[in-house]
Amino acid sequence: MDLTQGTFEEKNSRAKKMMLWFGIVSLIMSFAGWTSAFVVSSNREDWLDDFQLPNAFIISTVLVLISSVTFILAKKALEKNNRQLTTIWLFATLALGVGFIANQFLGFQEIIDLGYNFTGPTSNITMSYIYLIAMMHIAHVIVGLVCILVVIYNHFKQKYSANKMLGMELAATFWHFIDILWVYLFLFLYFVS
């Protein structure tokens, strides 16, 4: 396929999607590095072998999975030009994303309440890694929430339609990626720690 072919809009769309995928691949490499460091560090003498992830992390995993479904439903509603339903599903996705972050912080509080700290003289390496990995993911969820807010704004400005959905497609791709990434991280931390 000749990528120089097509209208300006088609070339622009391909370029934006390609740039998003370059970003996603770089994020995959970053999180692969952190999870690899987690595995290598698990051989240390001060590593916690019997730690279980807080229940709030399980709840946040469910919320993030549901948020992917609501984003899919928003996109399907837009494809049918149902603006009202699109709005409802976009706000549901936004609320679930905020709920995800809230539960992550509840999980951090559960860890602290158990006497494990992330930094300082009372910290340990296991909790520091969990904190680093989860906080880096939260940072990307916040970026995803900003993307959803932009999509909502553009939706209200009627910039999207059934045949003009690039912004929503890009935001949906990134949102689904960070959802899948959290499921991977949760399962990794659950089974490896």
Side-chain angles (χ1 to χ4, degrees):
M1 173 182 189
D2 185 1
L3 296 178
T4 61
Q5 297 282 321
T7 65
F8 174 77
E9 192 172 294
E10 290 170 337
K11 290 190 278 187
N12 187 39
S13 175
R14 280 195 304 265
K16 288 179 179 180
K17 288 177 182 179
M18 183 72 73
M19 290 307 297
L20 175 61
W21 281 106
F22 282 142
I24 286 173
V25 168
S26 70
L27 288 173
I28 290 170
M29 292 168 52
S30 297
F31 281 96
W34 290 319
T35 53
S36 295
F38 187 93
V39 170
V40 170
S41 296
S42 66
N43 293 327
R44 292 172 48 127
E45 288 180 26
D46 59 346
W47 192 260
L48 288 176
D49 290 325
D50 60 347
F51 177 75
Q52 291 191 351
L53 290 176
N55 290 331
F57 280 17
I58 297 168
I59 295 167
S60 65
T61 303
V62 171
L63 291 176
V64 83
L65 288 171
I66 295 170
S67 75
S68 262
V69 173
T70 59
F71 212 140
I72 290 168
L73 293 171
K75 195 172 165 198
K76 287 188 181 299
L78 184 61
E79 288 169 352
K80 294 177 182 174
N81 285 319
N82 187 336
R83 302 194 61 74
Q84 184 178 9
L85 197 54
T86 302
T87 303
I88 291 168
W89 290 125
L90 285 173
F91 276 111
T93 305
L94 183 69
L96 289 163
V98 171
F100 170 85
I101 292 174
N103 274 281
Q104 291 287 288
F105 283 107
L106 288 173
F108 293 150
Q109 190 57 53
E110 283 182 46
I111 291 170
I112 292 168
D113 291 345
L114 290 171
Y116 301 117
N117 293 299
F118 303 113
T119 61
T122 59
S123 68
N124 72 39
I125 191 71
T126 311
M127 293 305 117
S128 295
Y129 269 115
I130 289 172
Y131 181 74
L132 168 76
I133 290 169
M135 284 304 290
M136 289 308 298
H137 184 264
I138 288 170
H140 291 91
V141 171
I142 291 169
V143 171
L145 291 174
V146 170
C147 292
I148 292 170
L149 285 170
V150 169
V151 167
I152 290 170
Y153 175 80
N154 287 335
H155 175 64
F156 281 126
K157 291 285 195 176
Q158 298 188 6
K159 292 187 178 183
Y160 302 128
S161 66
N163 18 337
K164 191 173 180 186
M165 299 178 55
L166 179 63
M168 182 173 274
E169 288 174 353
L170 294 172
T173 300
F174 183 71
W175 190 256
H176 296 317
F177 164 70
I178 59 175
D179 292 357
I180 292 167
L181 177 62
W182 175 252
V183 171
Y184 158 72
L185 292 172
F186 175 78
L187 293 173
F188 173 83
L189 293 172
Y190 186 83
F191 289 110
V192 173
S193 62

